[in-house]
Amino acid sequence: MSFSPRPCLHGAGTSFHVIPGVQFDVWRATSVFGMTARQRVGGQHWTLTVVACTQCGRTETFTSDAAALAAQFPGSEIVTTTRPG
């Protein structure tokens, strides 16, 4: 992943761990008879790049197919914002 990092918004740190190729199985939180449970979604593995601030630990994830991941979760939505002028 190639980018020009800006200081961390949370702790103002200027160095980051960039960890490519992290994979995970997708599970959806649910409940069964009032108890917390989980349900596997689609039987797929998702690959992400993780970027973590070395100072405060704030972690961001990046994927090349966010729309496909969001489609697996009812209630997912796109939120649009603007930068202050």
Side-chain angles (χ1 to χ4, degrees), residues 30-37:
T30 187
S31 64
V32 176
F33 302 116
M35 298 178 65
T36 301

Side-chain angles (χ1 to χ4, degrees), residues 2-84:
S2 175
F3 67 102
S4 297
R6 292 173 283 194
C8 175
L9 294 175
H10 182 71
T14 56
S15 64
F16 301 87
H17 294 287
V18 177
I19 310 160
V22 175
Q23 290 191 332
F24 68 94
D25 293 328
V26 180
W27 295 78
R28 180 181 304 128
T30 187
S31 64
V32 176
F33 302 116
M35 298 178 65
T36 301
R38 63 185 183 172
Q39 175 184 18
R40 188 151 190 203
V41 176
Q44 300 176 358
H45 290 81
W46 290 89
T47 303
L48 305 172
T49 296
V50 176
V51 178
C53 176
T54 59
Q55 179 176 320
C56 71
R58 179 184 170 114
T59 304
E60 301 281 343
T61 58
F62 300 87
T63 183
S64 61
D65 199 358
L69 180 59
Q72 302 295 319
F73 293 87
S76 295
E77 59 185 312
I78 295 174
V79 177
T80 304
T81 186
T82 57
R83 291 181 185 252

